[in-house]
Amino acid sequence: MPSNNAGDAPHAGDEHDTLQRPNPYTSESRWRHQESSAYLRFEGQQMIAGQPREPTTGNTTGDLADFLNKTRIEPAGDGSHAGANHQPLTVAAGHAEGENQPHDASGDGGGPGLNDGKEIVCGPLLNYRRMEQGNWIGSVLVVVKGGGKEQLYKPTLALRPASAGKQLATGTDGVYHAPANGTSSDDTLIESSCLYSDSRNTFWQFDIVVPMGESERQFEYEVPEMRYSTDYKPRLNRFFIPALTESMRIMFHSCNGFSVGTDEEAWSGAALWNDVMRKHSQVPFHVMVGGGDQIYNDGIRVNGPLRPWTDIKNPKKRREYPFPEKLRAECDDYYLKNYIRWYNISPFAYANGQIPQLNIWDDHDIIDGFGSYTDHFMRCAVFRGIGGTAHKYYMLFQHHLPPPPSTFTTDSTASQTDGQGADPNGLLHVHVAPPKTDESYIWGQKAGPYVAEKSLNIYTRLGARMALVGIDARVERTRHQINYPETYDLIFERLRSELKKAAGSDQPIKHLILLLGIPIAYPRLTWLENILRSPLIGPVKFMSKRFGVGGGLFNQFDGSVDLLDDLDDHYTARVHKKERTMLIERMQRIAAEFSVRVTILGGDVHLAALGRFYSNPSLKVPVEEDHRYMANVVSSAIVNKPPPQAVANLLARRNKIHHLNPETDETLLDIFDKDPGDSNKTANFNHVTMPSRNYAMITENSPNNPAVQAESAAAAPVTNGEGPASDHAASTNGNGSHQPRSFVGKDGHDKLHAGEVDSGTKHRSATLDYHGRDNDGSLHVRINVEIDQHDKEGKTQAYGLMVPLLHYNKAAAREHVPSATAESAAAHQEAPHPKR
């Protein structure tokens, strides 16, 4: 019989349909009205339209399902029914016989066959969390078809040290089966814990703790006795962890998806992930850092359940539009299906099971521009609703954490409070695990203004001498604020505690990675902001409303200029100046206090660049002693299409030298000495912004590496370039015969230290044979840029530079103390700079 349970998912294809009308032929008895032909005809029409059922808090069929499960389902065996002349009756919790069974949420196979809790529709997904007492700690997530209050099968993960050349043994049905005695003698069996389960899917998580050793180690894992909805996802996955005395090799990416309307085939799909896996097969990555937009959910307003809302022309009516339980269920189904679809995309699917992930999120993980529209519009029910729903699946897929028990609806006041109280409609036939804490997270103190949850910031150690702090710049974001002041206080309190503890050990932190969703050392577009906010734009907006003139200039949400939400998102936006200055100055003080080099990772802007903060040249501070020198690696997008060449060239024209405060300057580095391959992606004058898909690699030049030897008699040993040493550079490791050039007093339009000399394709860090092979403790940075968008293999051109260690000299720097407050520095930020 048709179900009236709110836990039932909306069905595929319902995104364009109108809201369901209640069945007028329903009787008082939930059982008797099956006999009504009028009821069945009406309900059949509704089912043809693919409509989800209206929620109810009344009696359910749970008791009946429990009885059927207990008395008629055969005990779980090995999953094989060969030779049997029957199939066991399988009823998920909350579904009586004859009801609609949970549909295939994968969108990528699996079909309507046996629902026994053994079909993986997404995963395994591998995450890294932290190091502790010589152990590497992470987790694995699998998403299984079907579920509810009670799960039909509890999977186990088998983990073992990897054996070179070992092949995965499978049965004739293509399913991996454990050895006859249960497991291999090398296996560690890890029990699963259920994070979340409803009638559609169950999220099983496995905690992994493996010991680190004197050398790099490789492990393999699998989930025995399980089927997969895709035939290409590896059943046996392997990953690498560094030696106890080494730092991690980092792969950094952002904008891992396509904007609405992009011709994905014209951009060869997710081609650059092929290049990632090639590099991984040569020199494996230990961690895959996601800088936001790991998935694009913008389609929810185009071909999803928010299309009717988006089509409303009147902004006031759009703001007042409710977000009832029915719409919440439809949006929930959209986010779930989109995650499963995207995380099953090849070749990204290979990477996310073999390279441990560490992520923060950004707007497209929710919807384009979330948090940066006007406050009165951001507080509308629909934005609050999708903010909570997107956060739910962000927690599950990207952090392997239990979601809140409920998300926002206008039907329940329980779901509208700080921390999302339990909403009965959203919890019918649903299991949600209790909250799970982990030392790698720094939780905000209060809920965000539009997502009724606390921000999820990250601190974790990346091996022996490197750490990472990631700031959640989306939960607390408004048009005028990126994070709460108290959240910054928590982050810096934790940083000081961790760095102080490390400083007292035999492995102090030498490099601190600051992970941001958006670049912070980036060209200003204040002039464009001024134009778009000026009274001149008013007549254009009027013409757009009345006659459709310039319709593409204004967004579909609050009617503002479409570019404004992107500009307001940037740290360099006028409204974020003080907050930006405060953040950098506090990082400067951390760098000075612990003599740790800060390097920033940021994405979002769909092009590659390398920004830097550094001491004002008048202070004559060498970069090796300069706590203000911070490189901002801008790497974006790994999948989405880049902006037009004209935009990249415009940004290059705006690459002025800016003053963060009287002691700190900033500008982009000329790193792109040529366009990738034989392409023509930029103007001849543009060497600072590259409009081509890309991702980055960051590797420490470990002090444990052997001494660098001369490559050949024809090529003298050099620090950077692969060719002969020039007269203005010398080796930093003592192998060169040239005297180092003096960089003291140079401005940012020049090279500031030896590691920037020959930056680009000629830098030794741009070649895998030399990348990370020096031994001076510096960082090698390599940005891999796509050569041809039509190449499905995703071949790239590499551009590199080196970031030196910081040897902070307190005595020499005493007279050059950073400004005490952001307010005192703000007046200097746009001060003119003498021409070169």
Side-chain angles (χ1 to χ4, degrees), residues 711 715-725 729 754 757-759 761-765 770:
E711 288 89 25
V718 293
T719 302
N720 306 320
E722 295 174 31
V757 174
D758 288 333
S759 56
T761 58
K762 298 177 182 178
H763 201 280
R764 66 185 289 117
S765 67
Y770 302 115

Side-chain angles (χ1 to χ4, degrees), residues 192-514:
S192 57
S193 61
C194 180
L195 301 180
Y196 176 84
S197 182
D198 62 23
S199 61
R200 301 162 301 171
N201 296 108
T202 300
F203 291 75
W204 295 106
Q205 184 250 353
F206 307 88
D207 286 318
I208 295 182
V209 180
V210 292
M212 303 172 73
E214 296 181 359
S215 60
E216 182 180 70
R217 303 190 68 187
Q218 182 181 6
F219 289 86
E220 63 188 25
Y221 69 92
E222 58 204 347
V223 189
E225 312 300 340
M226 300 295 283
R227 303 184 305 276
Y228 285 74
S229 63
T230 57
D231 57 6
Y232 55 81
K233 180 76 177 186
R235 274 53 172 167
L236 182 68
N237 286 276
R238 296 180 176 181
F239 65 97
F240 293 80
I241 64 173
L244 272 170
T245 57
E246 299 298 339
S247 300
M248 294 185 181
R249 289 185 290 271
I250 302 170
M251 177 265 178
F252 170 63
H253 69 93
S254 66
C255 301
N256 181 41
F258 286 106
S259 297
V260 171
T262 303
D263 184 349
E264 298 182 16
E265 186 60 29
W267 289 92
S268 305
L272 260 63
W273 285 105
N274 287 319
D275 195 63
V276 170
M277 297 309 293
R278 278 195 298 272
K279 301 291 191 299
H280 181 62
S281 68
Q282 295 172 282
V283 183
F285 297 113
H286 297 125
V287 65
M288 181 166 72
V289 175
D293 298 339
Q294 275 71 251
I295 185 171
Y296 275 59
N297 287 313
D298 305 340
I300 194 170
R301 67 176 178 87
V302 177
N303 54 12
L306 293 189
R307 180 61 184 266
W309 173 72
T310 308
D311 287 342
I312 297 174
K313 301 301 182 183
N314 187 314
K316 184 175 184 294
K317 290 182 179 179
R318 202 180 300 121
R319 287 197 303 271
E320 295 172 350
Y321 198 87
F323 195 78
E325 169 61 21
K326 182 177 185 297
L327 182 55
R328 182 212 63 80
E330 292 172 343
C331 290
D332 186 287
D333 210 50
Y334 180 92
Y335 281 104
L336 172 64
K337 288 179 181 178
N338 201 36
Y339 261 104
I340 292 176
R341 177 191 69 86
W342 186 250
Y343 276 67
N344 275 328
I345 291 287
S346 173
F348 176 51
Y350 302 136
N352 59 39
Q354 300 177 47
I355 310 174
Q357 300 175 71
L358 186 66
N359 299 324
I360 61 172
W361 67 341
D362 205 27
D363 58 336
H364 293 281
D365 295 276
I366 311 171
I367 197 171
D368 185 21
F370 187 93
S372 290
Y373 298 108
T374 56
D375 180 73
H376 69 283
F377 187 60
M378 281 302 314
R379 292 186 184 275
C380 76
V382 169
F383 269 135
R384 294 176 67 189
I386 62 173
T389 307
H391 178 268
K392 169 185 175 179
Y393 289 110
Y394 169 62
M395 296 283 282
L396 286 166
F397 280 94
Q398 299 198 42
H399 289 286
H400 304 182
L401 292 174
S406 304
T407 60
F408 174 90
T409 72
T410 50
D411 288 345
S412 170
T413 57
S415 70
Q416 301 176 32
T417 58
D418 185 355
Q420 300 289 16
D423 176 6
N425 280 332
L427 291 174
L428 287 174
H429 311 302
V430 171
H431 168 80
V432 184
K436 180 176 181 178
T437 60
D438 190 275
E439 294 179 12
S440 58
Y441 295 118
I442 308 168
W443 294 88
Q445 290 183 329
K446 63 181 181 180
Y450 315 130
V451 178
E453 298 298 332
K454 297 175 181 178
S455 63
L456 188 67
N457 308 283
I458 298 171
Y459 174 85
T460 189
R461 192 151 180 164
L462 300 181
R465 292 166 294 276
M466 195 182 306
L468 176 144
V469 59
I471 298 181
D472 180 346
R474 196 52 57 182
V475 167
E476 299 171 358
R477 176 182 288 272
T478 71
R479 200 164 196 165
H480 299 281
Q481 150 197 295
I482 299 173
N483 288 98
Y484 297 141
E486 51 266 40
T487 298
Y488 288 117
D489 291 341
L490 288 171
I491 291 170
F492 282 99
E493 179 183 347
R494 175 68 180 275
L495 263 182
R496 280 195 163 81
S497 172
E498 296 288 350
L499 293 175
K500 183 177 181 180
K501 182 169 59 177
S505 71
D506 58 353
Q507 288 187 336
I509 299 296
K510 296 295 184 181
H511 291 279
L512 177 63
I513 305 297
L514 173 60

Side-chain angles (χ1 to χ4, degrees), residues 672-685:
F672 301 110
D673 53 322
K674 64 180 293 294
D675 286 342
D678 297 324
S679 65
N680 184 23
K681 295 178 182 287
T682 64
N684 292 334
F685 66 84

